[in-house]
Amino acid sequence: MNDFCYRDLMLHCEEMPVLELARKVKTPFYLYSHNTLLNHYRAFDGAFSGIPHLVCYALKANSNQALLKLFINCGAGLDIVSGGELYRGLAAGVDPGKVVYSGVGKRTDEIEYALRAGILMFNVESSQELEVINDCAGRLGKRAGIALRVNPDVNAETHPYITTGLKEHKFGLDIEEALKEYRRIRELSFLEALGVSCHIGSQITKISPFVDALERLGNLVARLREEGSDIRYLDLGGGLGITYNEETPPHPREYAQALLTVARDIGCTLILEPGRVIVGNGGILVTEVLYTKTKENKNFVIVDAGMNDLIRPSLYGAYQRIQPVVEMDREEIVADIVGPVCESGDFFARGRRIPRLERGELAAIMGAGAYGFAMASTYNSRPRIPEVLVKGGEYFIIGKREEYADLIRNESIPEFLRT
């Protein structure tokens, strides 16, 4: 069942009418469904129940503490890409032994923080990074678990900005280079090769790229074991897509079935890093129409949310479905749905056929659970907006609306400017 649906012409989140909630919270705001998030996580985790596996939720999609706690309570680990994300995860109560640290540019202080916390392993992206982690571990008297991020040269067939598995991308090492580095790990006193990892991209709607990547990694694992490396984990990353428009991504069950046969033969604990597929369609962005206007036969719908609240359409030209909060028979128009930010790129849709919306009405921008608040900014000095979680007929403010004072809280004026 879809937890965002119309009842008596009103869009609901579970049992809560969105219009009623908007009157209490004020627009714009992000709105998440507890039931959807829980069901998505359980469906993904359960699909891999036939093999040893660890689901490490990718914080970059949505790092709100309440959502992290929800997934951690279900047994999730975390995939992090910064010291700040580790801090968030530890604050939410994650077992550090279920944390993998990805990312191409880890700082020394972040590496030491992760070593002191006792994370499972680092997904390492370069020869120099190996040396830095070894040095950090030596200073702290620790031994660092390592997986090299291998670039399997697989075309994920997704947007160029979010594909990461081809040779020309900045991420990872090619397979032959990785073999040399695994040999070198055995010579570094404070490193232990625990796994092999990859991540080929995001919003992938076909299974075949994942299968191709897994098979290539499986061959690498076999070669490494022949050379004496005790590889126990195979981290396939994340990237499974969702439906924003007319995409037809596989269900997690189909995804798992395609991978299980290959994974069983490899004989590793499979690590998976879902993000968008868990939270993307578990949230929406609710916004109010401020004005409408027509300019040279072109229609504009100006709303109170902006690109600083949801940047995907501006950044990627990404499609986000937009619908009225109150459903009724309406004339359809072709319009640009735009925000108040002083940029021509501040839009949620261009040339979109939508039901006519009038000043004061509410619209829901769907599929905003991933890369909404996580990529939000205070550009134009617009305070970041609240996050609301609905469970049944109750709602909870899980991220407060910022005030104007928050915009300058960490700023200071030097004394010489005060005279």
Side-chain angles (χ1 to χ4, degrees):
M1 178 180 176
N2 187 344
D3 292 300
F4 293 99
C5 61
Y6 289 99
R7 297 189 199 128
D8 300 322
L9 303 181
M10 296 287 183
L11 183 65
H12 283 61
C13 175
E14 299 189 22
E15 301 303 318
M16 175 68 67
V18 174
L19 182 61
E20 177 183 327
L21 188 54
R23 289 173 179 150
K24 297 174 180 178
V25 176
K26 308 303 180 187
T27 59
F29 63 95
Y30 307 98
L31 176 59
Y32 310 125
S33 161
H34 173 271
N35 191 54
T36 300
L37 297 170
L38 184 62
N39 286 342
H40 284 182
Y41 179 85
R42 287 175 172 171
F44 192 96
D45 184 45
F48 289 91
S49 60
I51 62 168
H53 72 282
L54 174 62
V55 174
C56 291
Y57 168 70
L59 263 75
K60 59 182 173 285
N62 188 321
S63 58
N64 183 280
Q65 289 280 283
L67 273 58
L68 298 186
K69 188 63 174 173
L70 189 162
F71 302 138
I72 290 167
N73 286 349
C74 292
L78 298 176
D79 165 48
I80 64 167
V81 294
S82 72
E85 287 193 342
L86 177 57
Y87 180 86
R88 283 180 172 274
L90 293 174
V94 71
D95 175 356
K98 291 183 175 181
V99 173
V100 294
Y101 193 162
S102 306
V104 72
K106 306 176 188 73
R107 297 195 315 263
T108 299
D109 62 306
E110 294 175 309
I111 292 167
E112 291 179 349
Y113 180 30
L115 285 166
R116 286 193 295 268
I119 69 166
L120 175 61
M121 64 185 187
F122 295 88
N123 289 338
V124 173
E125 307 232 9
S126 70
S127 178
Q128 288 184 4
E129 186 184 335
L130 274 181
E131 295 169 4
V132 170
I133 294 174
N134 185 65
D135 290 345
C136 290
R139 285 195 299 273
L140 297 175
K142 303 283 187 179
R143 193 168 173 84
I146 298 295
L148 291 182
R149 177 171 174 175
V150 177
N151 193 321
D153 200 26
V154 169
N155 187 350
E157 300 181 50
T158 185
H159 191 286
Y161 285 10
I162 52 177
T163 183
T164 58
L166 294 174
K167 285 183 178 179
E168 62 262 31
H169 296 137
K170 69 179 180 179
F171 302 98
L173 306 164
D174 66 42
I175 288 177
E176 291 304 317
E177 186 180 5
L179 274 168
K180 295 176 184 176
E181 295 301 331
Y182 274 108
R183 292 169 190 144
R184 198 159 71 93
I185 288 172
R186 293 196 287 271
E187 300 171 1
L188 296 172
S189 302
F190 301 101
L191 304 183
E192 181 180 9
L194 296 181
V196 174
S197 77
C198 81
H199 179 71
I200 59 173
S202 187
Q203 184 53 13
I204 303 167
T205 57
K206 295 181 179 180
I207 293 174
S208 56
F210 293 109
V211 176
D212 290 347
L214 184 58
E215 289 175 343
R216 296 182 192 193
L217 292 184
N219 291 334
L220 175 60
V221 169
R223 292 175 69 180
L224 290 172
R225 284 175 174 163
E226 288 173 1
E227 295 186 4
S229 294
D230 182 20
I231 302 299
R232 287 167 265 168
Y233 297 97
L234 196 159
D235 186 340
L236 193 58
L240 188 62
I242 64 172
T243 300
Y244 286 108
N245 185 15
E246 296 179 350
E247 304 95 334
T248 54
H251 187 277
R253 184 171 52 252
E254 299 172 66
Y255 171 67
Q257 287 173 349
L259 298 177
L260 285 177
T261 301
V262 180
R264 285 192 187 100
D265 291 341
I266 295 171
C268 287
T269 295
L270 189 62
I271 295 178
L272 302 136
E273 300 170 356
R276 185 196 316 265
V277 71
I278 305 294
V279 295
N281 282 329
I284 64 175
L285 173 58
V286 182
T287 185
E288 180 180 343
V289 177
L290 296 176
Y291 307 102
T292 66
K293 70 177 183 180
T294 301
K295 182 180 176 183
E296 295 182 353
N297 296 320
K298 184 169 184 176
N299 297 306
F300 293 89
V301 177
I302 303 159
V303 299
D304 63 356
M307 63 183 287
N308 66 299
D309 304 310
L310 183 62
I311 200 171
R312 292 185 70 255
S314 298
L315 188 61
Y316 305 135
Y319 184 98
Q320 305 270 169
R321 186 159 48 92
I322 301 170
Q323 58 195 62
V325 165
V326 179
E327 190 178 42
M328 63 179 72
D329 290 333
R330 302 168 182 258
E331 173 194 8
E332 285 199 340
I333 61 170
V334 175
D336 287 9
I337 297 87
V338 302
V341 173
C342 292
E343 298 283 345
S344 297
D346 180 29
F347 64 89
F348 296 111
R350 281 178 164 163
R352 178 80 58 86
R353 181 169 291 278
I354 60 165
R356 181 182 290 277
L357 291 163
E358 301 294 349
R359 170 170 162 76
E361 289 195 281
L362 301 183
I365 303 176
M366 311 304 288
Y371 306 106
F373 188 89
M375 296 179 77
S377 74
T378 57
Y379 185 50
N380 279 187
S381 289
R382 288 168 48 83
R384 283 176 292 191
I385 63 177
E387 296 174 280
V388 182
L389 178 68
V390 165
K391 184 177 186 292
E394 296 182 277
Y395 75 94
F396 306 86
I397 306 295
I398 60 171
K400 293 182 180 179
R401 187 185 301 277
E402 290 182 341
E403 306 291 340
Y404 287 146
D406 294 319
L407 295 171
I408 61 171
R409 189 174 306 281
N410 295 320
E411 299 175 15
S412 61
I413 299 174
E415 190 61 35
F416 76 90
L417 292 175
R418 296 180 181 273
T419 58

